Amino acid sequence: MNYGYFDEFSKEYVINRPDTPAPWCNYLGSVDYGAIISNNATGYSFVKSGASGRIIRFRFNSSSNDQPGRYIYIRDNSDGDFWSGSWQPVCKPLDKYKSECRHGTAYTQLSSKYRNLETKTLYFVPLNESHEIWQFKIKNTGNAQKSLSVYGMVEFTNHDHYENDTVNLQYSQFISKTYFKGDHILQVINENGSEASSDVDGHCDVMGDPSCRFFGVAGQTVSAFDGERDAFIGNYRNYGNPIAVETGKCSNTPAYNCNSFGALQIDITLKPGEEKEMLFVLGSGNEAVAKNVLEKYRDKVSNKVNATAGKQFEALKKLWHARLNNLQVNTPDDNLDNMVNVWNAYQCFITFLWSRAASFQYCGLRNGLGYRDTVQDIQGIIHLDDRLARERLLLMLSAQVSNGGGLPLVKFDHKAGEVSTPDESEYAKATGQSYYRADDALWLFPTIITYIKESGDWSFIDEVIPYADKGEATVYNHLRQAIRFNLDRQGNHGFPAGLFADWNDCLRLGPKGESMFVAFQLYYALAIFKEFAVKKSLNEDAAWADSHLNRLSAQFEQFAWQQDQYVRGFTEDGYTMGAKENAEANIWLNPQTWSVISGAAEGDKAKAVLNSVYSKLNTKYGARLFYPPFKKYGMPVARMVLFNEGTKENAGIFSQPQGWLILAETIVGNGNRAYEYFTEINPASMNDNAEIRKLEPYVHGQATESIDTLNHGRSHVHWLTGTASTVMVSLVNGILGLQPQYEGISINPCIPSKWEAFSMNKIFRGKMLNIKVENVEGVEKGVKYIVVNGKKSDGCYISCEELSEVNDILVVMGKQKP
Ligand code: GLC
């Protein structure tokens, strides 16, 4: 069953059935003012932090349709019938009420048709602003004049901090008030707090400072208001039947010691064919800010909505589309194109911006950046915005401890050089984390090399950057320290220790247990470091890296290799995890894929491990993390035993590793299989089975339930997942074969053999590459020759010198001469 479709031209996903299997969401705004909105206008907004800057309420997990959100009600005053601009919360019968939701790049437009009235509400946050706009238009398409009341509403939080607002009611209910100010409702928290330290942006009342929010309207006159929630909703009612809307009259009640609210009633008449517009504005700030903001949106003479919001919207769309247009592809598979061109790319920016902070599952309490998550997230946007990637990379390098490890959590107000480390009690107190993860800083290697090769910014390697705690070093030496961190922490076989966890949060191998995932990551890191050392002509460094590469290779062979697979690790008490003879979890996905990605397994070995994965771990919705699930073996090392079998880290189809699997298959040249895996997990290819997957068909989720569950194919935890970046990389670098080099770019696709041709438009170092790929021989990988602006050469490499501003490139795939 489907609930919508991709409008690739507009870069939108269009939902034409509002009763989706889950709230299907979108993100608005920036890190200064963020918002999340579903196809039914549910969701919340926050200033800087989902946890400590929350301005409107959202009840997580409250029922199957989480509420409330940004609702607009419409009441026909001729008979009192009422509905909403989004299908929820009034939920009129779908045979009479038609709706459409268009989720775009940082905006969402909801339309409704009911009783010869059409509404359109465009939700967005203007660039560089700390407020959101709901541009509401209503049109009478019938023959009779209509007398209507329109109600816009928000449920404010009583405290900036989500937890305080939700649970500390004996406190938070008594610090908030609302006032009606003509064109807006002003909420003031801590009105009698210290003005001296008050912040006009109204953010954060932890110190007892006053904190203000406003909900106003421009373009129409307010006829009544409710500043208190229960006055608007009424007792023993809900958002589906608020008393104010049912009776047609807000009661002009402000809030004092209860739940602050913003409801504005606007009475209008519409002649046949007539359309009226009003702009609801929600933001953070005091009365002066509110007045200024609202004035900006109305014409001084006519008092109607002026052109400002329209221009802001165009600027927003332009910015996003320009970002995405840095790579556009046209392949035989629309579902792949939709992901590369719009949705996977957009999701990468969202994970980059919000990390794991705010969604319908994450309520924002993780108030900082996870090291590994963030360094991985950067990889997903490098091909579209290397400048943004560079900024974040600098931050993450400055969050590396001088011993080489990464800070498990990088606070949003991170101050390099002054931070305590997991070795000190202050850090544990502030973040709840008193340990290192084994993998954190190792993610820097693939991210940094990808950044340098995409941007050509080789000088980055010599940039001097402070450590989190003390001292500073060049990027090159930061990387050396990262390697040392793992070399200094080894287990009994000479592999890196698993420490508190590796990529797998549930695997606690400790200071003497060993992780093969980290071992392969270390191998990869050494290979990249060696490449840098060679380029810098630092022969001793290259030899040092080489000796460890050789040592690790021998150890892989001796201790970790079993006929056609690698084991997952060794526990402190000598148990081999992921060994063939184990009753549970006897083959794991990540060590196989990472043996190939790292270059440790090549040729037949690489093919063998990937064949093992295909035959033992694949399902129709992606590959399992391992098999069989844990039931008996478990605590304290394998904490995933606590998850139901076939779920998340306990042999579920964890989504992030699927990207590594696709990438590994492209490395060995299995284009058909890489594409098969991609199709299994591509959200877009589940569009017509949306009732099975449940999550938005345009975004990756964290995990999909496996065959051991009751709901094979159902996905969970939308939007904020490292899957966005791993799958993006596997598409761009692996399947499409766009592989920037220091002084040029290789184009070496690995595709399904049935693809006869495809094209790509990529901006590379400011130059436009118009690439056509031909595959008449039906191969999966292999480039016979390449023609750049009419000049033919063997192989798949193009040097920067060959490039003009705009370039016509033909890549001819086929069997290579023996
Ligand atoms: C979650 C975490 C990520 C971790 C993964 C596997 O997605 O955000 O950091 O690597 O789970 O445990």
Side-chain angles (χ1 to χ4, degrees):
M1 199 187 298
N2 78 46
Y3 297 78
Y5 61 93
F6 291 87
D7 177 347
E8 203 191 329
F9 177 77
S10 310
K11 301 194 193 317
E12 290 173 336
Y13 186 82
V14 188
I15 299 163
N16 44 23
R17 271 193 63 170
D19 55 341
T20 47
W24 285 1
C25 293
N26 194 12
Y27 283 80
L28 317 175
S30 68
V31 285
D32 290 325
Y33 184 101
I36 176 163
I37 183 166
S38 79
N39 56 313
N40 276 305
T42 63
Y44 58 94
S45 307
F46 49 93
V47 177
K48 294 195 170 83
S49 155
S52 59
R54 183 71 65 82
I55 65 172
I56 58 171
R57 286 211 181 119
F58 176 73
R59 293 184 184 80
F60 289 91
N61 204 22
S62 56
S63 67
S64 59
N65 302 308
D66 303 339
Q67 290 189 341
R70 304 169 181 85
Y71 297 144
I72 298 175
Y73 298 88
I74 303 105
R75 181 179 194 273
D76 188 334
N77 291 328
S78 65
D79 63 356
D81 192 12
F82 62 91
W83 62 102
S84 36
S86 43
W87 180 56
Q88 271 197 82
V90 179
C91 298
K92 284 291 182 190
L94 287 173
D95 56 342
K96 300 204 175 68
Y97 178 97
K98 295 289 162 229
S99 82
E100 186 186 76
C101 164
R102 287 183 167 263
H103 283 316
T105 46
Y107 67 88
T108 286
Q109 181 177 284
L110 301 179
S111 316
S112 77
K113 280 188 192 163
Y114 183 69
R115 285 194 144 199
N116 291 329
L117 283 156
E118 291 184 8
T119 70
K120 257 195 180 73
T121 319
L122 176 67
Y123 296 90
F124 69 99
V125 177
L127 292 170
N128 309 316
E129 298 286 2
S130 233
H131 58 259
E132 66 189 67
I133 302 277
W134 317 352
Q135 184 187 44
F136 179 76
K137 291 182 185 165
I138 181 160
K139 185 172 182 183
N140 181 357
T141 55
N143 301 322
Q145 172 151 322
K146 291 278 188 185
S147 155
L148 305 165
S149 295
V150 173
Y151 307 77
M153 59 126 281
V154 291
E155 183 174 336
F156 289 119
T157 55
N158 281 336
H159 194 288
D160 284 351
H161 198 276
Y162 158 72
E163 265 186 333
N164 261 322
D165 176 58
T166 314
V167 296
N168 197 4
L169 303 185
Q170 62 79 29
Y171 174 74
S172 58
Q173 298 223 328
F174 308 103
I175 56 172
S176 169
K177 289 178 190 165
T178 56
Y179 293 97
F180 178 60
K181 300 283 181 181
D183 57 1
H184 69 278
I185 287 185
L186 182 74
Q187 182 199 19
V188 189
I189 298 172
N190 296 338
E191 189 174 46
N192 305 326
S194 126
E195 270 298 341
S197 51
S198 137
D199 166 0
V200 282
D201 285 340
H203 178 236
C204 204
D205 66 341
V206 267
M207 307 301 289
D209 298 345
S211 162
C212 307
R213 299 82 173 266
F214 62 90
F215 180 63
V217 68
Q220 296 292 336
T221 309
V222 177
S223 39
F225 76 96
D226 271 317
E228 196 229 291
R229 187 190 63 192
D230 299 350
F232 181 77
I233 305 258
N235 279 338
Y236 307 103
R237 288 169 172 269
N238 56 50
Y239 278 107
N241 61 353
I243 188 84
V245 181
E246 201 173 284
T247 58
K249 193 83 198 86
C250 281
S251 61
N252 296 331
T253 312
Y256 194 102
N257 297 341
C258 46
N259 290 296
S260 294
F261 201 73
L264 298 172
Q265 176 175 343
I266 292 106
D267 297 328
I268 53 170
T269 52
L270 282 180
K271 295 191 201 86
E274 195 186 2
E275 182 179 78
K276 281 196 171 149
E277 181 179 355
M278 60 196 86
L279 219 72
F280 292 101
V281 184
L282 167 66
S284 155
N286 60 20
E287 188 179 352
V289 173
K291 284 239 169 306
N292 263 337
V293 168
L294 287 165
E295 244 154 52
K296 199 153 75 179
Y297 295 109
R298 70 180 148 236
D299 185 276
K300 282 202 178 68
V301 182
S302 69
N303 219 21
K304 289 194 177 143
V305 173
N306 66 19
T308 308
K311 286 187 195 146
Q312 288 175 330
F313 175 62
E314 286 312 316
L316 177 77
K317 205 154 97 169
K318 205 166 145 202
L319 175 108
W320 274 101
H321 286 197
R323 269 181 187 160
L324 302 183
N325 285 342
N326 286 329
L327 175 66
Q328 292 289 297
V329 305
N330 186 357
T331 74
D333 181 0
D334 286 348
N335 289 334
L336 183 143
D337 296 355
N338 282 319
M339 285 291 135
V340 175
N341 296 343
V342 186
W343 287 98
N344 195 164
Y346 177 58
Q347 188 181 1
C348 283
F349 280 104
I350 298 300
T351 58
F352 178 89
L353 290 173
W354 297 117
S355 187
R356 306 299 172 265
S359 71
F360 275 21
Q361 277 85 42
Y362 289 111
C363 57
L365 289 176
R366 196 206 254 191
N367 219 353
L369 301 169
Y371 203 93
R372 84 160 75 90
D373 292 340
T374 302
V375 181
Q376 291 169 351
D377 291 344
I378 298 171
Q379 278 189 49
I381 64 149
I382 293 176
H383 69 293
L384 298 175
D385 194 336
D386 57 43
R387 192 194 45 79
L388 209 58
R390 183 183 209 277
E391 264 170 46
R392 187 58 68 79
L393 253 179
L394 291 175
L395 172 74
M396 296 316 286
L397 282 157
S398 83
Q400 188 187 9
V401 180
S402 54
N403 68 9
L407 286 178
L409 193 80
V410 185
K411 287 195 276 168
F412 288 132
D413 58 356
H414 174 72
K415 290 197 186 65
E418 299 173 20
V419 177
S420 58
T421 69
D423 303 315
E424 293 155 277
S425 57
E426 290 136 80
Y427 184 80
K429 228 161 132 197
T431 64
Q433 323 221 8
S434 58
Y435 35 71
Y436 291 98
R437 293 189 176 82
D439 63 321
D440 277 339
L442 291 175
W443 294 104
L444 290 168
F445 291 83
T447 305
I448 286 176
I449 197 166
T450 307
Y451 163 71
I452 290 177
K453 289 184 172 178
E454 179 75 43
S455 64
D457 180 11
W458 170 244
S459 64
F460 184 71
I461 201 83
D462 293 321
E463 193 128 334
V464 176
I465 297 167
Y467 284 111
D469 52 339
K470 55 173 192 275
E472 57 179 32
T474 60
V475 170
Y476 181 77
N477 283 325
H478 272 263
L479 293 176
R480 187 207 308 266
Q481 272 310 87
I483 290 174
R484 286 227 171 101
F485 178 87
N486 293 95
L487 292 178
D488 289 347
R489 291 164 180 77
Q490 293 189 351
N492 300 329
H493 303 86
F495 290 123
L499 306 183
F500 182 75
D502 63 10
W503 168 86
N504 192 322
D505 279 334
C506 303
L507 204 55
R508 305 282 157 89
L509 289 159
K512 282 291 154 199
E514 294 158 295
S515 157
M516 292 313 299
F517 191 164
V518 181
F520 288 123
Q521 277 190 287
L522 179 62
Y523 187 91
Y524 194 31
L526 284 158
I528 292 171
F529 186 76
K530 181 179 152 190
E531 184 178 320
F532 289 153
V534 169
K535 195 166 159 60
K536 285 173 80 65
S537 306
L538 296 172
N539 299 340
E540 266 178 41
D541 284 3
W544 170 77
D546 225 16
S547 70
H548 283 294
L549 285 166
N550 292 334
R551 176 180 62 84
L552 280 171
S553 275
Q555 285 168 208
F556 289 140
E557 187 67 29
Q558 192 181 350
F559 302 117
W561 176 249
Q562 288 192 318
Q563 291 135 38
D564 53 4
Q565 69 181 58
Y566 287 99
V567 302
R568 180 60 170 88
F570 305 94
T571 66
E572 296 196 334
D573 58 10
Y575 176 73
T576 304
M577 195 155 278
K580 279 188 175 233
E581 55 277 13
N582 296 352
E584 297 174 346
N586 55 34
I587 173 161
W588 291 60
L589 176 61
N590 290 332
Q592 320 314 329
T593 54
W594 269 83
S595 71
V596 177
I597 291 170
S598 67
E602 290 178 309
D604 290 346
K605 231 179 209 164
K607 292 213 156 142
V609 295
L610 293 178
N611 286 342
S612 301
V613 167
Y614 191 66
S615 63
K616 295 183 181 152
L617 293 177
N618 192 25
T619 75
K620 62 177 175 171
Y621 301 119
R624 290 163 280 186
L625 203 50
F626 57 77
Y627 206 71
F630 285 118
K631 277 179 109 158
K632 296 201 176 72
Y633 185 87
M635 302 295 283
V637 180
R639 292 183 64 86
M640 60 285 272
V641 70
L642 301 178
F643 290 128
N644 297 330
E645 300 94 90
T647 306
K648 287 176 64 111
E649 281 97 335
N650 194 9
I653 303 164
F654 217 87
S655 307
Q656 196 186 2
Q658 312 299 317
W660 299 323
L661 178 56
I662 297 163
L663 184 67
E665 290 286 5
T666 65
I667 291 171
V668 304
N670 288 336
N672 287 330
R673 221 194 254 166
Y675 179 70
E676 182 181 343
Y677 281 131
F678 171 69
T679 307
E680 285 170 4
I681 57 113
N682 182 1
S685 48
M686 288 291 281
N687 193 53
D688 295 341
N689 298 316
E691 75 286 3
I692 297 173
R693 186 171 181 271
K694 295 214 186 318
L695 285 199
E696 294 93 334
Y698 45 91
V699 291
H700 291 284
Q702 184 201 60
T704 299
E705 293 183 43
S706 184
I707 51 167
D708 306 278
T709 71
L710 303 179
N711 305 286
H712 184 30
R714 181 167 69 175
S715 295
H716 296 272
V717 190
H718 68 169
W719 279 97
L720 302 183
T721 157
T723 317
S725 71
T726 60
V727 177
M728 194 79 219
V729 169
S730 76
L731 287 166
V732 175
N733 184 278
I735 293 182
L736 302 170
L738 294 167
Q739 297 160 9
Q741 310 293 340
Y742 296 109
E743 267 111 42
I745 183 168
S746 298
I747 304 172
N748 190 11
C750 183
I751 55 174
S753 48
K754 65 176 186 208
W755 283 11
E756 287 171 10
F758 69 99
S759 63
M760 310 186 262
N761 302 94
K762 174 176 168 62
I763 306 273
F764 177 62
R765 307 210 187 150
K767 311 236 158 100
M768 175 53 107
L769 315 186
N770 296 320
I771 306 164
K772 283 209 158 52
V773 180
E774 285 177 7
N775 182 32
V776 281
E777 289 181 22
V779 300
E780 295 172 74
K781 194 174 185 178
V783 171
K784 278 191 9 190
Y785 63 88
I786 199 159
V787 185
V788 181
N789 300 325
K791 215 173 131 236
K792 183 174 165 187
S793 53
D794 285 343
C796 62
Y797 178 72
I798 308 169
S799 76
C800 284
E801 282 157 20
E802 293 171 73
L803 293 176
S804 315
E805 287 308 303
V806 179
N807 303 275
D808 278 324
I809 297 169
L810 175 68
V811 178
V812 178
M813 295 177 70
K815 293 186 192 78
Q816 277 142 327
K817 291 178 210 121

